[in-house]
């Protein structure tokens, strides 16, 4: 069985007027969260990066000038930048709501250590790095000494499985044993080489099903991170936390500012299913409360095609949303349905849902 992880809490200083800074790590804390106080105004705007200044891989690379602009904006706009573990504790404590951002990095590429980490350090910002232990020390990856040094410089280490496999391509009768085993293996290697026990987990490629999510929850991780865009709050399933992807084409500063200030679109009744089987034009149905939203201007984006969006009033202030693709999405492995809408004060609200077709190999 996967080792149970103790849920930790860090006392955070979120007094009025606090400036952005390094909130510290929580890996050594033994405290447990007691009677969490849920503040509906608290939210976490979380970002995912992979490579830094490595133009060979544009789909997963952020140009360094863009990354510098992101960090400068977070500082100038007064954001509190936290590690993922600290941010989850912040959601549950009784401190006042603040502008909280989390920077996460997946896979442990060398370009983060060489290019991204020095920039983070120059701003005094922490971040959370998810590593797949099979590649540690590989030609393009950080080694254990790099990882130890990064941790000393404010980087939290998270679990990303051992092999970073396409687990949804493994038959169900062995998928879950393999997934659990790889989480254990990754955890054991990090404990052996770094003397720490990660508290947070990221799904490889952002792919998971309900059973995989259950395995992560039962392991005791305080958060499981996906790769669909959106904002984390106290209504979020913490085993499926959204993150805004930051890579070439999506990392310009105007888009980053919008996503940094986005609010969670509160949805009800949407499916937890992500894996497609035989329906390749899946509809996504949910309901929302109007809450001063400009629903007639709601935008729906479906990767690879157009979105057929229906909005109908169900009752006083409650609306049913139905979104369908205009054509089959069977030729894409991952298809994101994204919904954005402004309120009367011009604030943006965001929600997305990921569909996965395991028959397509990346």
């Amino acid at each position: 069985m996967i080792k149970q992880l103790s849920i930790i809490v860090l006392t955070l200083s979120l007094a009025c007027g606090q400036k952005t800074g390094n909130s510290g790590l929580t890996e050594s804390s033994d405290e447990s969260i007691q009677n969490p106080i849920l503040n509906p105004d608290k939210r976490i705007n979380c970002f995912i990066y992979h490579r830094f200044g490595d133009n060979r891989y544009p789909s997963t690379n952020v140009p360094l000038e863009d990354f510098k602009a992101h960090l400068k904006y977070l500082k100038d706009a007064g954001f509190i930048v936290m590690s993922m573990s600290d941010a989850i504790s912040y959601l549950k404590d009784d401190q006042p709501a603040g502008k909280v951002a989390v920077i996460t990095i997946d896979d442990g590429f060398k370009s983060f250590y060489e290019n991204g980490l020095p920039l983070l350090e120059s701003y005094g910002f922490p971040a959370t790095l998810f590593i797949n232990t099979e590649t540690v020390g590989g030609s393009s990856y950080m080694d254990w000494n790099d990882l130890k040094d990064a941790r000393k410089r404010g980087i939290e280490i998270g679990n990303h499985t051992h092999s970073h496999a396409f687990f949804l391509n493994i038959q169900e009768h062995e998928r879950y044993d393999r997934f659990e085993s790889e989480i254990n293996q990754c955890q054991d290697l990090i404990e052996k080489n770094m003397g720490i026990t990660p508290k947070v987990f990221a799904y490889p490629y952002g792919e998971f099903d309900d059973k995989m999510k259950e395995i992560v929850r039962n392991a005791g991780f305080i958060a499981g991170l996906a790769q669909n865009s959106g904002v984390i709050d106290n209504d979020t399933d913490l085993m499926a936390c959204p993150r805004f992807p930051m890579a070439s084409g999506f990392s310009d500063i105007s888009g980053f500012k919008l996503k940094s200030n986005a609010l969670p679109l509160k949805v009800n009744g949407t499916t937890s299913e992500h894996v497609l089987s035989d329906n390749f034009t899946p509809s996504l149905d949910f309901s929302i409360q109007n809450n001063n939203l400009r629903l007639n201007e709601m935008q729906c984006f479906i990767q690879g095609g157009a979105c057929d969006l229906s909005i109908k009033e169900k009752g006083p202030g409650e609306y049913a949303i139905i979104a369908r693709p205009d054509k089959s999405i069977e030729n894409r492995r991952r298809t994101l349905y994204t919904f954005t809408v402004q309120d009367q004060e011009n604030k943006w609200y965001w929600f997305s849902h990921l569909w996965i077709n395991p028959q397509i190999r990346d």
Side-chain angles (χ1 to χ4, degrees), residues 248-280:
S248 299
F250 297 95
S251 62
D252 63 278
I253 189 58
S254 61
F256 182 81
K257 289 179 180 179
L258 188 154
K259 293 166 185 174
S260 296
N261 292 287
L263 298 166
L265 182 62
K266 306 282 190 176
V267 306
N268 298 307
T270 190
T271 179
S272 64
E273 184 59 57
H274 293 275
V275 183
L276 298 176
S277 54
D278 53 4
N279 177 13
F280 297 113

PDB file of all heavy atoms in Angstrom, residues 248-280:
ATOM      1  N   SER A 248       5.196  28.446 -25.297  1.00  0.00           N
ATOM      2  CA  SER A 248       5.160  29.305 -26.471  1.00  0.00           C
ATOM      3  C   SER A 248       3.761  29.316 -27.076  1.00  0.00           C
ATOM      4  O   SER A 248       3.143  28.272 -27.264  1.00  0.00           O
ATOM      5  CB  SER A 248       6.169  28.810 -27.510  1.00  0.00           C
ATOM      6  OG  SER A 248       7.474  28.852 -26.986  1.00  0.00           O
ATOM      7  N   GLY A 249       3.269  30.507 -27.378  1.00  0.00           N
ATOM      8  CA  GLY A 249       1.933  30.640 -27.927  1.00  0.00           C
ATOM      9  C   GLY A 249       0.891  30.935 -26.869  1.00  0.00           C
ATOM     10  O   GLY A 249      -0.197  31.437 -27.174  1.00  0.00           O
ATOM     11  N   PHE A 250       1.189  30.609 -25.596  1.00  0.00           N
ATOM     12  CA  PHE A 250       0.252  30.854 -24.502  1.00  0.00           C
ATOM     13  C   PHE A 250       0.900  31.629 -23.359  1.00  0.00           C
ATOM     14  O   PHE A 250       0.312  31.738 -22.289  1.00  0.00           O
ATOM     15  CB  PHE A 250      -0.295  29.533 -23.959  1.00  0.00           C
ATOM     16  CG  PHE A 250      -1.095  28.741 -24.956  1.00  0.00           C
ATOM     17  CD1 PHE A 250      -0.493  27.751 -25.705  1.00  0.00           C
ATOM     18  CD2 PHE A 250      -2.448  29.008 -25.158  1.00  0.00           C
ATOM     19  CE1 PHE A 250      -1.222  27.027 -26.645  1.00  0.00           C
ATOM     20  CE2 PHE A 250      -3.187  28.285 -26.084  1.00  0.00           C
ATOM     21  CZ  PHE A 250      -2.571  27.296 -26.833  1.00  0.00           C
ATOM     22  N   SER A 251       2.107  32.136 -23.584  1.00  0.00           N
ATOM     23  CA  SER A 251       2.853  32.721 -22.472  1.00  0.00           C
ATOM     24  C   SER A 251       3.067  34.224 -22.596  1.00  0.00           C
ATOM     25  O   SER A 251       3.855  34.795 -21.847  1.00  0.00           O
ATOM     26  CB  SER A 251       4.218  32.027 -22.343  1.00  0.00           C
ATOM     27  OG  SER A 251       5.001  32.207 -23.516  1.00  0.00           O
ATOM     28  N   ASP A 252       2.380  34.878 -23.523  1.00  0.00           N
ATOM     29  CA  ASP A 252       2.542  36.324 -23.634  1.00  0.00           C
ATOM     30  C   ASP A 252       2.026  36.986 -22.362  1.00  0.00           C
ATOM     31  O   ASP A 252       1.145  36.463 -21.675  1.00  0.00           O
ATOM     32  CB  ASP A 252       1.800  36.859 -24.854  1.00  0.00           C
ATOM     33  CG  ASP A 252       0.299  36.642 -24.757  1.00  0.00           C
ATOM     34  OD1 ASP A 252      -0.156  35.529 -25.076  1.00  0.00           O
ATOM     35  OD2 ASP A 252      -0.401  37.568 -24.327  1.00  0.00           O
ATOM     36  N   ILE A 253       2.540  38.141 -22.050  1.00  0.00           N
ATOM     37  CA  ILE A 253       2.258  38.765 -20.766  1.00  0.00           C
ATOM     38  C   ILE A 253       0.794  39.180 -20.633  1.00  0.00           C
ATOM     39  O   ILE A 253       0.227  39.136 -19.532  1.00  0.00           O
ATOM     40  CB  ILE A 253       3.188  39.982 -20.521  1.00  0.00           C
ATOM     41  CG1 ILE A 253       3.031  40.498 -19.081  1.00  0.00           C
ATOM     42  CG2 ILE A 253       2.949  41.062 -21.539  1.00  0.00           C
ATOM     43  CD1 ILE A 253       3.333  39.468 -18.014  1.00  0.00           C
ATOM     44  N   SER A 254       0.139  39.550 -21.721  1.00  0.00           N
ATOM     45  CA  SER A 254      -1.268  39.944 -21.610  1.00  0.00           C
ATOM     46  C   SER A 254      -2.125  38.757 -21.183  1.00  0.00           C
ATOM     47  O   SER A 254      -3.010  38.895 -20.324  1.00  0.00           O
ATOM     48  CB  SER A 254      -1.769  40.514 -22.934  1.00  0.00           C
ATOM     49  OG  SER A 254      -1.672  39.546 -23.976  1.00  0.00           O
ATOM     50  N   GLY A 255      -1.863  37.571 -21.763  1.00  0.00           N
ATOM     51  CA  GLY A 255      -2.591  36.379 -21.365  1.00  0.00           C
ATOM     52  C   GLY A 255      -2.266  35.965 -19.943  1.00  0.00           C
ATOM     53  O   GLY A 255      -3.147  35.515 -19.201  1.00  0.00           O
ATOM     54  N   PHE A 256      -1.010  36.134 -19.549  1.00  0.00           N
ATOM     55  CA  PHE A 256      -0.610  35.775 -18.193  1.00  0.00           C
ATOM     56  C   PHE A 256      -1.315  36.666 -17.172  1.00  0.00           C
ATOM     57  O   PHE A 256      -1.791  36.181 -16.137  1.00  0.00           O
ATOM     58  CB  PHE A 256       0.901  35.885 -18.035  1.00  0.00           C
ATOM     59  CG  PHE A 256       1.394  35.483 -16.676  1.00  0.00           C
ATOM     60  CD1 PHE A 256       1.578  34.141 -16.358  1.00  0.00           C
ATOM     61  CD2 PHE A 256       1.667  36.435 -15.699  1.00  0.00           C
ATOM     62  CE1 PHE A 256       2.013  33.762 -15.096  1.00  0.00           C
ATOM     63  CE2 PHE A 256       2.106  36.063 -14.435  1.00  0.00           C
ATOM     64  CZ  PHE A 256       2.286  34.718 -14.138  1.00  0.00           C
ATOM     65  N   LYS A 257      -1.416  37.946 -17.449  1.00  0.00           N
ATOM     66  CA  LYS A 257      -2.106  38.859 -16.533  1.00  0.00           C
ATOM     67  C   LYS A 257      -3.572  38.461 -16.383  1.00  0.00           C
ATOM     68  O   LYS A 257      -4.112  38.447 -15.271  1.00  0.00           O
ATOM     69  CB  LYS A 257      -2.003  40.295 -17.043  1.00  0.00           C
ATOM     70  CG  LYS A 257      -0.622  40.913 -16.938  1.00  0.00           C
ATOM     71  CD  LYS A 257      -0.630  42.335 -17.486  1.00  0.00           C
ATOM     72  CE  LYS A 257       0.743  42.982 -17.386  1.00  0.00           C
ATOM     73  NZ  LYS A 257       0.733  44.368 -17.934  1.00  0.00           N
ATOM     74  N   LEU A 258      -4.218  38.148 -17.512  1.00  0.00           N
ATOM     75  CA  LEU A 258      -5.623  37.757 -17.468  1.00  0.00           C
ATOM     76  C   LEU A 258      -5.810  36.520 -16.598  1.00  0.00           C
ATOM     77  O   LEU A 258      -6.702  36.458 -15.743  1.00  0.00           O
ATOM     78  CB  LEU A 258      -6.135  37.515 -18.888  1.00  0.00           C
ATOM     79  CG  LEU A 258      -7.634  37.276 -19.077  1.00  0.00           C
ATOM     80  CD1 LEU A 258      -8.064  37.682 -20.477  1.00  0.00           C
ATOM     81  CD2 LEU A 258      -8.004  35.808 -18.845  1.00  0.00           C
ATOM     82  N   LYS A 259      -4.953  35.508 -16.801  1.00  0.00           N
ATOM     83  CA  LYS A 259      -5.083  34.249 -16.061  1.00  0.00           C
ATOM     84  C   LYS A 259      -4.694  34.422 -14.594  1.00  0.00           C
ATOM     85  O   LYS A 259      -5.252  33.751 -13.722  1.00  0.00           O
ATOM     86  CB  LYS A 259      -4.246  33.172 -16.739  1.00  0.00           C
ATOM     87  CG  LYS A 259      -4.790  32.805 -18.115  1.00  0.00           C
ATOM     88  CD  LYS A 259      -3.819  32.006 -18.965  1.00  0.00           C
ATOM     89  CE  LYS A 259      -4.385  31.793 -20.360  1.00  0.00           C
ATOM     90  NZ  LYS A 259      -3.426  31.149 -21.278  1.00  0.00           N
ATOM     91  N   SER A 260      -3.765  35.312 -14.316  1.00  0.00           N
ATOM     92  CA  SER A 260      -3.379  35.559 -12.922  1.00  0.00           C
ATOM     93  C   SER A 260      -4.535  36.140 -12.118  1.00  0.00           C
ATOM     94  O   SER A 260      -4.630  35.914 -10.904  1.00  0.00           O
ATOM     95  CB  SER A 260      -2.196  36.531 -12.865  1.00  0.00           C
ATOM     96  OG  SER A 260      -1.052  35.985 -13.474  1.00  0.00           O
ATOM     97  N   ASN A 261      -5.394  36.879 -12.785  1.00  0.00           N
ATOM     98  CA  ASN A 261      -6.502  37.546 -12.102  1.00  0.00           C
ATOM     99  C   ASN A 261      -7.846  36.869 -12.322  1.00  0.00           C
ATOM    100  O   ASN A 261      -8.876  37.361 -11.845  1.00  0.00           O
ATOM    101  CB  ASN A 261      -6.575  39.004 -12.557  1.00  0.00           C
ATOM    102  CG  ASN A 261      -5.383  39.818 -12.082  1.00  0.00           C
ATOM    103  OD1 ASN A 261      -5.267  40.157 -10.910  1.00  0.00           O
ATOM    104  ND2 ASN A 261      -4.461  40.112 -12.987  1.00  0.00           N
ATOM    105  N   ALA A 262      -7.843  35.754 -13.051  1.00  0.00           N
ATOM    106  CA  ALA A 262      -9.092  35.052 -13.328  1.00  0.00           C
ATOM    107  C   ALA A 262      -9.709  34.519 -12.043  1.00  0.00           C
ATOM    108  O   ALA A 262      -9.017  34.184 -11.076  1.00  0.00           O
ATOM    109  CB  ALA A 262      -8.839  33.908 -14.305  1.00  0.00           C
ATOM    110  N   LEU A 263     -11.017  34.410 -12.038  1.00  0.00           N
ATOM    111  CA  LEU A 263     -11.782  33.865 -10.927  1.00  0.00           C
ATOM    112  C   LEU A 263     -12.372  32.518 -11.337  1.00  0.00           C
ATOM    113  O   LEU A 263     -12.585  32.265 -12.529  1.00  0.00           O
ATOM    114  CB  LEU A 263     -12.900  34.833 -10.543  1.00  0.00           C
ATOM    115  CG  LEU A 263     -12.453  36.209 -10.064  1.00  0.00           C
ATOM    116  CD1 LEU A 263     -13.631  37.172 -10.049  1.00  0.00           C
ATOM    117  CD2 LEU A 263     -11.807  36.126  -8.697  1.00  0.00           C
ATOM    118  N   PRO A 264     -12.656  31.642 -10.375  1.00  0.00           N
ATOM    119  CA  PRO A 264     -13.233  30.338 -10.722  1.00  0.00           C
ATOM    120  C   PRO A 264     -14.691  30.473 -11.132  1.00  0.00           C
ATOM    121  O   PRO A 264     -15.481  31.120 -10.445  1.00  0.00           O
ATOM    122  CB  PRO A 264     -13.097  29.537  -9.428  1.00  0.00           C
ATOM    123  CG  PRO A 264     -13.068  30.568  -8.347  1.00  0.00           C
ATOM    124  CD  PRO A 264     -12.397  31.768  -8.932  1.00  0.00           C
ATOM    125  N   LEU A 265     -15.051  29.884 -12.265  1.00  0.00           N
ATOM    126  CA  LEU A 265     -16.451  29.814 -12.665  1.00  0.00           C
ATOM    127  C   LEU A 265     -17.084  28.647 -11.916  1.00  0.00           C
ATOM    128  O   LEU A 265     -16.683  27.494 -12.090  1.00  0.00           O
ATOM    129  CB  LEU A 265     -16.558  29.595 -14.180  1.00  0.00           C
ATOM    130  CG  LEU A 265     -17.972  29.548 -14.761  1.00  0.00           C
ATOM    131  CD1 LEU A 265     -18.697  30.871 -14.532  1.00  0.00           C
ATOM    132  CD2 LEU A 265     -17.930  29.204 -16.245  1.00  0.00           C
ATOM    133  N   LYS A 266     -18.042  28.936 -11.061  1.00  0.00           N
ATOM    134  CA  LYS A 266     -18.660  27.918 -10.214  1.00  0.00           C
ATOM    135  C   LYS A 266     -19.655  27.099 -11.035  1.00  0.00           C
ATOM    136  O   LYS A 266     -20.667  27.632 -11.501  1.00  0.00           O
ATOM    137  CB  LYS A 266     -19.389  28.570  -9.043  1.00  0.00           C
ATOM    138  CG  LYS A 266     -18.530  29.509  -8.212  1.00  0.00           C
ATOM    139  CD  LYS A 266     -17.624  28.770  -7.276  1.00  0.00           C
ATOM    140  CE  LYS A 266     -16.955  29.708  -6.276  1.00  0.00           C
ATOM    141  NZ  LYS A 266     -16.140  29.000  -5.293  1.00  0.00           N
ATOM    142  N   VAL A 267     -19.374  25.823 -11.216  1.00  0.00           N
ATOM    143  CA  VAL A 267     -20.240  24.960 -12.010  1.00  0.00           C
ATOM    144  C   VAL A 267     -20.815  23.854 -11.138  1.00  0.00           C
ATOM    145  O   VAL A 267     -20.197  23.416 -10.170  1.00  0.00           O
ATOM    146  CB  VAL A 267     -19.484  24.359 -13.212  1.00  0.00           C
ATOM    147  CG1 VAL A 267     -18.845  25.458 -14.044  1.00  0.00           C
ATOM    148  CG2 VAL A 267     -18.429  23.360 -12.768  1.00  0.00           C
ATOM    149  N   ASN A 268     -21.990  23.402 -11.489  1.00  0.00           N
ATOM    150  CA  ASN A 268     -22.660  22.321 -10.774  1.00  0.00           C
ATOM    151  C   ASN A 268     -23.092  21.250 -11.763  1.00  0.00           C
ATOM    152  O   ASN A 268     -23.513  21.557 -12.887  1.00  0.00           O
ATOM    153  CB  ASN A 268     -23.901  22.836 -10.032  1.00  0.00           C
ATOM    154  CG  ASN A 268     -23.553  23.858  -8.981  1.00  0.00           C
ATOM    155  OD1 ASN A 268     -22.718  23.619  -8.121  1.00  0.00           O
ATOM    156  ND2 ASN A 268     -24.190  25.026  -9.053  1.00  0.00           N
ATOM    157  N   GLY A 269     -23.000  19.998 -11.315  1.00  0.00           N
ATOM    158  CA  GLY A 269     -23.564  18.909 -12.088  1.00  0.00           C
ATOM    159  C   GLY A 269     -22.749  18.429 -13.258  1.00  0.00           C
ATOM    160  O   GLY A 269     -23.213  17.592 -14.037  1.00  0.00           O
ATOM    161  N   THR A 270     -21.510  18.926 -13.445  1.00  0.00           N
ATOM    162  CA  THR A 270     -20.716  18.455 -14.570  1.00  0.00           C
ATOM    163  C   THR A 270     -20.151  17.074 -14.284  1.00  0.00           C
ATOM    164  O   THR A 270     -19.980  16.667 -13.132  1.00  0.00           O
ATOM    165  CB  THR A 270     -19.571  19.433 -14.893  1.00  0.00           C
ATOM    166  OG1 THR A 270     -18.968  19.055 -16.130  1.00  0.00           O
ATOM    167  CG2 THR A 270     -18.508  19.426 -13.815  1.00  0.00           C
ATOM    168  N   THR A 271     -19.837  16.328 -15.331  1.00  0.00           N
ATOM    169  CA  THR A 271     -19.333  14.969 -15.182  1.00  0.00           C
ATOM    170  C   THR A 271     -17.905  14.958 -14.661  1.00  0.00           C
ATOM    171  O   THR A 271     -17.135  15.890 -14.900  1.00  0.00           O
ATOM    172  CB  THR A 271     -19.385  14.231 -16.524  1.00  0.00           C
ATOM    173  OG1 THR A 271     -18.867  12.897 -16.362  1.00  0.00           O
ATOM    174  CG2 THR A 271     -18.532  14.924 -17.584  1.00  0.00           C
ATOM    175  N   SER A 272     -17.545  13.890 -13.944  1.00  0.00           N
ATOM    176  CA  SER A 272     -16.156  13.694 -13.538  1.00  0.00           C
ATOM    177  C   SER A 272     -15.416  12.823 -14.554  1.00  0.00           C
ATOM    178  O   SER A 272     -14.222  12.577 -14.411  1.00  0.00           O
ATOM    179  CB  SER A 272     -16.097  13.018 -12.160  1.00  0.00           C
ATOM    180  OG  SER A 272     -16.655  11.711 -12.217  1.00  0.00           O
ATOM    181  N   GLU A 273     -16.122  12.367 -15.580  1.00  0.00           N
ATOM    182  CA  GLU A 273     -15.524  11.486 -16.580  1.00  0.00           C
ATOM    183  C   GLU A 273     -14.603  12.284 -17.505  1.00  0.00           C
ATOM    184  O   GLU A 273     -14.900  13.411 -17.902  1.00  0.00           O
ATOM    185  CB  GLU A 273     -16.623  10.804 -17.401  1.00  0.00           C
ATOM    186  CG  GLU A 273     -16.116   9.800 -18.407  1.00  0.00           C
ATOM    187  CD  GLU A 273     -15.334   8.676 -17.757  1.00  0.00           C
ATOM    188  OE1 GLU A 273     -15.880   8.004 -16.886  1.00  0.00           O
ATOM    189  OE2 GLU A 273     -14.147   8.502 -18.120  1.00  0.00           O
ATOM    190  N   HIS A 274     -13.462  11.678 -17.841  1.00  0.00           N
ATOM    191  CA  HIS A 274     -12.513  12.318 -18.745  1.00  0.00           C
ATOM    192  C   HIS A 274     -12.136  11.444 -19.938  1.00  0.00           C
ATOM    193  O   HIS A 274     -11.638  11.958 -20.928  1.00  0.00           O
ATOM    194  CB  HIS A 274     -11.220  12.678 -17.992  1.00  0.00           C
ATOM    195  CG  HIS A 274     -11.399  13.735 -16.950  1.00  0.00           C
ATOM    196  ND1 HIS A 274     -11.364  15.084 -17.225  1.00  0.00           N
ATOM    197  CD2 HIS A 274     -11.628  13.643 -15.616  1.00  0.00           C
ATOM    198  CE1 HIS A 274     -11.558  15.771 -16.117  1.00  0.00           C
ATOM    199  NE2 HIS A 274     -11.725  14.926 -15.129  1.00  0.00           N
ATOM    200  N   VAL A 275     -12.364  10.154 -19.836  1.00  0.00           N
ATOM    201  CA  VAL A 275     -11.871   9.219 -20.842  1.00  0.00           C
ATOM    202  C   VAL A 275     -12.979   8.888 -21.832  1.00  0.00           C
ATOM    203  O   VAL A 275     -14.066   8.446 -21.457  1.00  0.00           O
ATOM    204  CB  VAL A 275     -11.351   7.924 -20.184  1.00  0.00           C
ATOM    205  CG1 VAL A 275     -10.779   6.986 -21.242  1.00  0.00           C
ATOM    206  CG2 VAL A 275     -10.282   8.258 -19.134  1.00  0.00           C
ATOM    207  N   LEU A 276     -12.689   9.094 -23.114  1.00  0.00           N
ATOM    208  CA  LEU A 276     -13.648   8.782 -24.171  1.00  0.00           C
ATOM    209  C   LEU A 276     -13.585   7.292 -24.507  1.00  0.00           C
ATOM    210  O   LEU A 276     -12.516   6.687 -24.490  1.00  0.00           O
ATOM    211  CB  LEU A 276     -13.333   9.594 -25.426  1.00  0.00           C
ATOM    212  CG  LEU A 276     -13.410  11.118 -25.302  1.00  0.00           C
ATOM    213  CD1 LEU A 276     -12.965  11.760 -26.603  1.00  0.00           C
ATOM    214  CD2 LEU A 276     -14.814  11.561 -24.947  1.00  0.00           C
ATOM    215  N   SER A 277     -14.737   6.726 -24.842  1.00  0.00           N
ATOM    216  CA  SER A 277     -14.772   5.324 -25.261  1.00  0.00           C
ATOM    217  C   SER A 277     -15.290   5.211 -26.691  1.00  0.00           C
ATOM    218  O   SER A 277     -14.543   4.897 -27.622  1.00  0.00           O
ATOM    219  CB  SER A 277     -15.627   4.495 -24.304  1.00  0.00           C
ATOM    220  OG  SER A 277     -16.922   5.059 -24.173  1.00  0.00           O
ATOM    221  N   ASP A 278     -16.576   5.511 -26.899  1.00  0.00           N
ATOM    222  CA  ASP A 278     -17.122   5.402 -28.254  1.00  0.00           C
ATOM    223  C   ASP A 278     -17.866   6.649 -28.703  1.00  0.00           C
ATOM    224  O   ASP A 278     -18.250   6.763 -29.855  1.00  0.00           O
ATOM    225  CB  ASP A 278     -18.049   4.182 -28.358  1.00  0.00           C
ATOM    226  CG  ASP A 278     -19.128   4.189 -27.286  1.00  0.00           C
ATOM    227  OD1 ASP A 278     -19.200   5.165 -26.519  1.00  0.00           O
ATOM    228  OD2 ASP A 278     -19.884   3.212 -27.219  1.00  0.00           O
ATOM    229  N   ASN A 279     -18.077   7.603 -27.804  1.00  0.00           N
ATOM    230  CA  ASN A 279     -18.739   8.851 -28.180  1.00  0.00           C
ATOM    231  C   ASN A 279     -17.681   9.922 -28.388  1.00  0.00           C
ATOM    232  O   ASN A 279     -17.082  10.415 -27.434  1.00  0.00           O
ATOM    233  CB  ASN A 279     -19.713   9.277 -27.085  1.00  0.00           C
ATOM    234  CG  ASN A 279     -20.380  10.605 -27.398  1.00  0.00           C
ATOM    235  OD1 ASN A 279     -20.311  11.095 -28.528  1.00  0.00           O
ATOM    236  ND2 ASN A 279     -21.019  11.205 -26.403  1.00  0.00           N
ATOM    237  N   PHE A 280     -17.461  10.294 -29.646  1.00  0.00           N
ATOM    238  CA  PHE A 280     -16.402  11.249 -29.961  1.00  0.00           C
ATOM    239  C   PHE A 280     -16.926  12.647 -30.259  1.00  0.00           C
ATOM    240  O   PHE A 280     -16.205  13.489 -30.783  1.00  0.00           O
ATOM    241  CB  PHE A 280     -15.559  10.720 -31.126  1.00  0.00           C
ATOM    242  CG  PHE A 280     -14.845   9.437 -30.789  1.00  0.00           C
ATOM    243  CD1 PHE A 280     -15.192   8.252 -31.426  1.00  0.00           C
ATOM    244  CD2 PHE A 280     -13.866   9.408 -29.815  1.00  0.00           C
ATOM    245  CE1 PHE A 280     -14.547   7.066 -31.114  1.00  0.00           C
ATOM    246  CE2 PHE A 280     -13.210   8.226 -29.485  1.00  0.00           C
ATOM    247  CZ  PHE A 280     -13.558   7.053 -30.134  1.00  0.00           C
TER     248      PHE A 280
END
